[in-house]
Structures are given as C-alpha cells and as structure tokens.
Amino acid sequence: MTDESALDTRARILRAAMDLFGEQGYQRTSIREIGQRLGLTKTAVLYHFPSKPQLLAAVAEPMLVDLERTLTEIDESDPVVARWAVVERVLDVWFAHRQLLRASLQDLSILSHLPVFQRFRDALLTAQRLVAGPNPDFAGQVRAIQVIATLSDPLMLLVDAPPAVLRREILAGAGLLLAASPPPPPPHPKPRGRPTTMRPDMVTVARRLHAEGETADQISVALGVSRATVYRHLSH
C-alpha cells in the first residue's frame, strides 16, 4: 500500500466513522460496521486506527486543532475587540465542524473521552476567559459562560436553517447576553402603616388561626395587617 493510498483509506475511514457516529452514536457503532460501510475488514480499519478511542480522537482532531489555533490567534490588547473576535471565530469553527457537533448531540460520550475531553474543556475555558475580559465580576463570568455555551446549540438543533441567517441570529443573541446586566435591586419601600381592612378570605384565615391558638400579634404579622384590624374582625 502506497503512502497516498493509505492516506486516502484513512480519510475514508474517518468520514465513515463520522457518518455512523452521527447516525447511531459512538457507543453503538462498532469498528466492524465502519469497515463494512467501506468494504474493509475490521483488521484493515484497525491497521490505521488500533482502537476505537484512537479513531474517535482522530475524528475530533481537526475541530480541536481549529479551535485551539483560533484562540491562540486572538489579540488580547483590546478586551472588547477580543471578546467579539472570540465569539465570531468560535462560531465559525462550530460551523466548519457542525457534523461532529450534531454527532455529539446523538451521543454525548463523543466529547467525553480523554484526552478529547481535556482539550475541548481547556479550549472552552480559554474562550470563556477571553469573553469575560480582565478582572470580571461574577455576573461577567456567568455571561461569558452562557455566551460560549449557546453558540453551538442552534447549529445542532436548527438543521435546516440557512447558514447566513443562523449565524446572524446566533451573534445577535450573543450580543444580547453580553449587553445584559442584572436588574437593579428594587428601591427600598417607604415605611407604610399596615392595611386596616381584610378581605373575606383573610378574615376566615384569621379566625382559623385564632381558633388554633395564634395571638392577634402573630396573626397580624402573618396576614400583613394591623393588630387593631385583627381584633376588630375577630370580635365580629
């Protein structure tokens, strides 16, 4: 077998493995099935990939390489520019490898195997750090995690969406997340006297609580009315 034919066979095996992982999941796909799809024996497949985890690592390698390279090329001198560069470029990586992402939706174990998982996790942590920017507060860290996490799901689930439209809407959603800030706490209410009336249902509750041994003070706190109001209704 020449080097060229070996490379071609290797590429064919990777494509068949990707297709089968997407169709029926990594765990349910055997080396024998991959070989059968190509007219190869199991031994022939194992010649190129000695084990199934090694075959999986080879399937994931192009995406991991693209993701890692993309993140190392980010210029961090301007945190705002870097943030958006990360969002756009990571999304482009997902588009380029959407078949693998969809296969992972079919079988989540695809991206859980070591060292695939370690590299994938480390790359996502780097992306989240760059999106969060220097010295982020807790809310900023949460937003960064949300942004990176939500870049891939639409690609996996909206299979028939036009790529240009889908990319635009994903970026728009990321912009909304990054622009969002926690709502300010409500203004401290001005002290007010407790209501002096009770609805009929509140009167019923007050009388039941009184019959169970609750004091007027306890009932007034429970219902949010004045003690005098409780006395007035209990005396009727």
Side-chain angles (χ1 to χ4, degrees):
M1 180 182 294
T2 66
D3 290 343
E4 185 175 346
S5 62
L7 289 174
D8 180 65
T9 300
R10 180 183 172 89
R12 290 172 58 222
I13 292 172
L14 289 174
R15 285 195 297 270
M18 175 68 75
D19 290 341
L20 283 168
F21 292 164
E23 291 169 12
Q24 59 191 35
Y26 170 77
Q27 297 292 352
R28 293 190 294 275
T29 298
S30 68
I31 294 292
R32 188 179 303 279
E33 287 177 295
I34 295 170
Q36 289 174 342
R37 177 158 292 199
L38 298 171
L40 300 174
T41 64
K42 177 179 178 180
T43 301
V45 175
L46 291 174
Y47 170 80
H48 294 278
F49 302 99
S51 69
K52 190 176 169 185
Q54 285 178 287
L55 175 56
L56 174 61
V59 167
E61 180 70 11
M63 184 187 76
L64 293 172
V65 168
D66 283 353
L67 184 58
E68 290 165 345
R69 182 190 301 117
T70 288
L71 295 173
T72 59
E73 293 173 350
I74 297 296
D75 180 359
E76 299 184 45
S77 59
D78 185 328
V80 175
V81 173
R83 166 186 293 168
W84 281 106
V86 170
V87 170
E88 291 183 340
R89 294 182 193 179
V90 167
L91 180 57
D92 288 340
V93 171
W94 292 163
F95 265 107
H97 299 279
R98 63 195 306 183
Q99 186 180 6
L100 178 59
L101 289 177
R102 288 174 180 166
S104 70
L105 181 64
Q106 171 74 17
D107 187 343
L108 296 177
S109 66
I110 285 179
L111 296 178
S112 67
H113 287 260
L114 297 176
V116 172
F117 169 76
Q118 292 175 329
R119 291 177 63 186
F120 188 66
R121 176 204 60 199
D122 290 347
L124 291 184
L125 289 174
T126 298
Q128 291 161 8
R129 176 183 64 79
L130 292 170
V131 170
N135 304 314
D137 58 12
F138 182 72
Q141 295 177 53
V142 171
R143 295 293 179 274
I145 293 170
Q146 288 176 308
V147 167
I148 295 301
T150 56
L151 292 178
S152 57
D153 284 5
L155 279 174
M156 293 190 287
L157 299 173
L158 301 175
V159 179
D160 299 322
V165 175
L166 183 56
R167 185 179 190 277
R168 184 188 68 215
E169 292 305 320
I170 292 174
L171 290 176
L176 291 174
L177 277 171
L178 289 175
S181 59
H188 189 72
K190 295 181 180 179
R192 297 178 56 188
R194 291 182 178 178
T196 58
T197 60
M198 289 197 297
R199 300 187 308 273
D201 60 314
M202 295 172 68
V203 174
T204 301
V205 172
R207 290 174 177 168
R208 176 176 58 79
L209 292 175
H210 186 257
E212 293 174 355
E214 297 289 329
T215 67
D217 284 338
Q218 292 170 327
I219 296 171
S220 70
V221 171
L223 298 180
V225 296
S226 67
R227 184 174 55 181
T229 301
V230 173
Y231 278 127
R232 186 170 65 253
H233 285 86
L234 291 180
S235 62
H236 288 174

